[in-house]
Amino acid sequence: MFNLNVLKKFAPVLLTGAMLFGMTTVAGAATKDPIDSVTLSLNYELSNGMTKSDVDVECESDGVDTSTVSSITNTSYGKKPKVTIKLKADSDYTFKGLSKSKVSISGDDATVTKVSASTSSCTVTVTLPKIGTTDDTSLEVSDVTWGEDDNGVVNWEQADDADKYEVKLMRGSSTKETATTTGTSYNFRSAIRANGKGTYTVRVRAIAGSYKGEWTESEDWDIDEDVLSDLGGKTSGGSSSGSGSSSSSGGAPSGSSSSGGAWLRDTNGWWYCNADRSYTTNNWQQIDGYWYFFNEYGYMKTGWLQSPYSGKWYWLSTDSNTYGRMLTNQWVDNGRYYVDANGIWNGQTR
């Protein structure tokens, strides 16, 4: 049992010791040196869709232990990326009191927009220059060329920041087909089949967000009767071996259908007038149990079709008894290609 008198005798000594210990602790805390300024060395690869791995940061300022890129936002073409950088202090230093004006950037161009400092850590937000400029080449398309096989395919080089491409088939000064693709090639075989002989060029431009690059044009391709015949188009000597157009020839149904609409035909081809007098454009429509595709003008297409939505290839019948229908589970185009149950060419050939 404690002796109360002894405890009272030593109480002042214990209290003095506790006070001294507390003062020592406070004095120890006060010995952390403030980090008065920070210089970040920043290097980055500015590009559409860039990630934090495209940004390198280093800091050799006194008192800073580590510096890392924790996130990046606003990385679309035409925007200014925002990069968040995390700093850690050495054990005997503190970021307390560090302001935005005391943080500077070396290396690649950037602006410090926000600084949030605590004792042991600091968050710095920097803003990079806009991705893409008016004199930038990141949306420049080059080497637009026709394929060597004379099969209607056009190819081009990847533009650095492109999300997709707009492609136009021209015969002379007239636009015959316009398409959008995320790839670096496009097959205009069906459109050339449809439009016949003439001198064709292709124009391509890159698109990133709402930004569009300049048009780049291919060399001329002269389509004579021999080339048109190889492509399966209609020549002066006879009927098509597989037209990819909305040609006025063929045995598409005429008159009324069970859906209440009607097949109609003019000098440009077949089209389908719905019961409400509307018609489908640039899309599929199922009519009497069969699928058909109608171009941007509402005319039924035949032959090979690359879907503007999925990029898959389909065969739309050129035979008089099934004209325009999407065929399934069979060999098509003179028995050379196989389309599956969904009408998609699966790459099988013979």
Side-chain angles (χ1 to χ4, degrees):
M1 180 178 292
F2 289 107
N3 188 311
L4 186 59
N5 291 327
V6 173
L7 185 61
K8 287 179 178 180
K9 179 178 180 180
F10 284 99
V13 177
L14 294 171
L15 180 60
T16 301
M19 292 176 64
L20 288 173
F21 178 77
M23 291 174 66
T24 301
T25 303
V26 172
T31 61
K32 285 184 178 289
D33 295 326
I35 299 174
D36 296 325
S37 64
V38 168
T39 299
L40 300 173
S41 176
L42 198 66
N43 295 281
Y44 52 81
E45 187 70 31
L46 198 65
S47 62
N48 186 34
M50 64 187 295
T51 65
K52 65 180 184 180
S53 63
D54 295 316
V55 183
D56 292 323
V57 63
E58 293 182 1
C59 182
E60 296 182 357
S61 300
D62 291 341
V64 178
D65 181 29
T66 61
S67 56
T68 57
V69 176
S70 64
S71 67
I72 182 171
T73 58
N74 255 29
T75 59
S76 299
Y77 195 90
K79 293 187 177 181
K80 296 181 178 181
K82 293 187 180 296
V83 180
T84 302
I85 301 168
K86 296 288 187 181
L87 306 177
K88 292 288 186 181
D90 289 330
S91 59
D92 50 352
Y93 283 85
T94 177
F95 286 111
K96 277 290 190 180
L98 183 68
S99 64
K100 184 174 74 171
S101 63
K102 297 298 183 180
V103 179
S104 58
I105 303 291
S106 68
D108 292 338
D109 187 30
T111 302
V112 178
T113 51
K114 184 178 180 181
V115 172
S116 178
S118 64
T119 301
S120 61
S121 65
C122 179
T123 301
V124 179
T125 302
V126 300
T127 301
L128 308 186
K130 183 191 296 184
I131 299 175
T133 60
T134 54
D135 58 351
D136 189 26
T137 60
S138 58
L139 287 184
E140 184 177 290
V141 175
S142 60
D143 295 332
V144 181
T145 57
W146 293 102
E148 295 181 357
D149 296 332
D150 287 350
N151 56 3
V153 176
V154 67
N155 306 280
W156 57 89
E157 292 293 324
Q158 171 76 36
D160 292 340
D161 288 342
D163 294 326
K164 56 187 177 182
Y165 301 89
E166 186 176 359
V167 192
K168 284 186 177 182
L169 177 69
M170 311 291 296
R171 190 178 67 183
S173 59
S174 176
T175 301
K176 295 303 179 184
E177 184 170 338
T178 300
T180 301
T181 179
T182 57
T184 55
S185 66
Y186 195 82
N187 194 332
F188 282 111
R189 179 183 179 187
S190 292
I192 295 172
R193 281 172 161 181
N195 290 283
K197 296 182 297 181
T199 299
Y200 290 85
T201 57
V202 170
R203 295 176 183 175
V204 182
R205 67 177 173 184
I207 300 174
S210 59
Y211 290 78
K212 297 181 178 181
E214 299 294 325
W215 290 104
T216 301
E217 189 167 324
S218 71
E219 294 182 351
D220 293 348
W221 186 20
D222 293 322
I223 304 296
D224 57 20
E225 288 203 7
D226 291 337
V227 176
L228 187 60
S229 178
D230 290 341
L231 292 172
K234 185 176 180 180
T235 67
S236 59
S239 61
S240 166
S241 63
S243 171
S245 72
S246 53
S247 167
S248 60
S249 64
S254 59
S256 299
S257 74
S258 60
S259 57
W263 284 100
L264 301 174
R265 180 178 175 180
D266 59 23
T267 57
N268 293 308
W270 287 97
W271 59 287
Y272 187 78
C273 181
N274 294 303
D276 61 359
R277 299 189 179 278
S278 65
Y279 59 92
T280 299
T281 60
N282 201 36
N283 212 340
W284 295 95
Q285 183 174 344
Q286 190 176 38
I287 302 169
D288 295 335
Y290 300 105
W291 284 102
Y292 300 85
F293 192 92
F294 298 89
N295 69 14
E296 65 269 33
Y297 304 109
Y299 290 103
M300 183 188 73
K301 290 182 71 82
T302 60
W304 284 110
L305 167 75
Q306 185 177 32
S307 170
Y309 309 105
S310 67
K312 305 293 186 181
W313 286 95
Y314 299 82
W315 177 258
L316 306 176
S317 178
T318 58
D319 295 334
S320 59
N321 58 336
T322 56
Y323 198 62
R325 297 177 189 174
M326 182 192 78
L327 301 184
T328 61
N329 289 327
Q330 59 186 284
W331 293 93
V332 298
D333 196 2
N334 293 320
R336 292 180 293 174
Y337 307 94
Y338 192 82
V339 290
D340 65 17
N342 295 310
I344 299 170
W345 175 51
N346 59 9
Q348 190 175 357
T349 62
R350 65 181 181 185

